[in-house]
């Protein structure tokens, strides 16, 4: 079963070459950076190697770009080609976006299948695939001292990679052929990324909760509630005991309900009762 997940060398080299070409085309646009040939080549190589290096570091396996001479040769040649043909490709406004979307799809598919081959669960494998897909663009922006595109509104790098990598994991769990599953995953990643650029799809911008919902106020006891309580009757304490009044007579004042207090008369032997 593990043989199914073996990544052909030509597939990995294709991803590296397209990534290096896209990175060189991207870097050549910034005239104010005054990059020389070596600088553009380094950007292209970093973009081509970034996803694979990050993938293998997470999986704790030998770094694939260092296991064959072809990786450095292909990445360097693609980067120089992108630099020399930058004026030609610049006329195609969407060309860099198309290459970027293809690079994300290829690295995401390779990272996911390689993680599954090493026995990682599906969710962890998708996570590795997403990081492998966006690793090159993160390193590119860091080297060019640019805001990381992955973290800003209007970029669906990670969402597109997650959609494609998740599809691959599901299809492989259903025993679909790995090449078919990989092709479908790349197509989905490519479609989501390109559609986000064409139609302006993006995730909502971060916002803090500024107003908390108010709790409903408890109803105040009004006059009607007091009247209802009075209608339920009341009790009166008298000298002879406690009298329970009927609701119909509870509003009638009680005369003489309180015991009369006796006071001593100043005349010896006499007393006076006062109310």
């Amino acid at each position: 079963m593990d043989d199914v997940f073996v990544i052909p060398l030509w597939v990995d080299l294709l991803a590296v070459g397209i990534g290096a070409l896209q990175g060189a085309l991207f870097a050549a646009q910034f005239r104010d950076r005054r990059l020389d040939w070596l600088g553009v080549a380094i950007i292209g190589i970093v973009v081509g190697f970034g996803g694979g290096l990050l993938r293998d570091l997470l999986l704790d396996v030998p770094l694939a770009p260092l296991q064959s001479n072809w990786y450095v040769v292909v990445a360097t040649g693609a980067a120089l080609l992108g630099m020399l043909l930058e004026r030609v490709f610049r006329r195609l406004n969407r060309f860099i976006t198309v290459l970027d979307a293809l690079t994300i799809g290829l690295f995401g598919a390779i990272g996911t299948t390689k993680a599954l081959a090493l026995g990682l669960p599906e969710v962890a494998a998708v996570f590795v695939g997403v990081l492998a897909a966006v690793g090159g663009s993160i390193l590119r922006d860091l080297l060019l001292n640019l805001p990381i595109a992955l973290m800003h509104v209007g970029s669906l790098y990670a969402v597109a990679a997650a959609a494609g990598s998740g599809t691959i994991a599901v299809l492989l769990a259903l025993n679909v052929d790995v090449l078919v599953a990989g092709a479908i995953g790349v197509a989905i990643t490519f479609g989501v990324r390109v559609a986000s650029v064409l139609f302006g799809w993006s995730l909502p911008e971060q916002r803090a909760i500024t107003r908390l919902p108010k709790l409903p106020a408890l109803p105040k006891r009004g006059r009607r509630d007091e009247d209802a309580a009075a209608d339920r009757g009341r009790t009166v304490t008298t000298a002879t005991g406690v009298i329970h009044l009927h609701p119909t007579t509870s509003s009638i004042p009680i005369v003489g309900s309180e015991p009369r207090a006796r006071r001593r008369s100043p005349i010896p032997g006499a007393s006076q009762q006062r109310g």
Side-chain angles (χ1 to χ4, degrees):
M1 186 67 180
D2 290 342
D3 294 338
V4 177
F5 293 96
V6 172
I7 306 301
L9 178 62
W10 68 269
V11 176
D12 213 2
L13 291 177
L14 179 63
V16 170
I18 295 178
L21 178 63
Q22 184 270 337
L25 288 174
F26 185 85
Q29 298 180 25
F30 298 92
R31 303 296 182 185
D32 57 334
R33 297 293 195 277
R34 302 189 64 185
L35 299 174
D36 57 10
W37 285 32
L38 179 60
V40 175
I42 289 176
I43 296 296
I45 294 174
V46 167
V47 175
F49 284 179
L53 292 176
L54 183 59
R55 172 199 66 206
D56 294 339
L57 287 174
L58 290 174
L59 297 177
D60 194 20
V61 296
L63 304 180
L66 302 181
Q67 305 304 313
S68 174
N69 295 326
W70 286 106
Y71 284 91
V72 177
V73 174
V74 170
T76 304
L80 293 177
L81 180 64
M83 178 190 64
L84 295 175
L85 299 181
E86 186 268 335
R87 291 187 177 181
V88 177
F89 291 135
R90 187 172 54 182
R91 298 176 183 178
L92 304 176
N93 296 330
R94 303 297 182 182
F95 189 75
I96 296 179
T97 301
V98 170
L99 287 181
D100 194 19
L102 187 58
T103 303
I104 294 173
L106 288 173
F107 277 112
I110 295 173
T112 303
T113 53
K114 191 170 186 177
L116 290 173
L118 294 175
L120 268 68
E122 286 76 8
V123 175
V126 171
F127 179 73
V128 172
V130 172
L131 291 182
V134 302
S137 64
I138 294 176
L139 295 177
R140 176 200 66 195
D141 295 338
L142 290 175
L143 288 177
L144 291 174
N145 196 22
L146 297 173
I148 298 178
L150 174 68
M151 303 174 60
H152 291 78
V153 176
S155 171
L156 290 184
Y157 284 97
V159 174
S165 300
T167 301
I168 293 174
V170 172
L171 293 177
L172 292 180
L174 298 176
N175 296 324
V176 178
D177 183 74
V178 65
L179 293 179
V180 176
I184 295 176
V186 172
I188 291 178
T189 301
F190 181 86
V192 173
R193 173 59 184 156
V194 173
S196 67
V197 176
L198 294 177
F199 301 105
W201 295 348
S202 64
L203 295 177
E205 185 178 356
Q206 62 87 19
R207 295 182 182 276
I209 299 178
T210 57
R211 180 178 299 178
L212 297 177
K214 295 182 179 180
L215 297 176
L218 297 177
K220 296 182 179 180
R221 187 172 180 179
R223 185 66 180 176
R224 293 183 179 179
D225 296 335
E226 295 178 356
D227 295 341
D231 292 341
R232 288 194 296 266
R234 58 190 177 90
T235 59
V236 178
T237 304
T238 64
T240 58
V242 178
I243 301 176
H244 296 276
L245 300 179
H246 192 269
T248 57
T249 61
S250 61
S251 59
I252 302 176
I254 304 299
V255 179
S257 59
E258 298 295 334
R260 296 182 177 181
R262 294 179 176 273
R263 294 185 179 180
R264 293 183 176 275
S265 174
I267 303 175
S271 64
Q272 182 180 2
Q273 184 177 1
R274 300 180 61 183

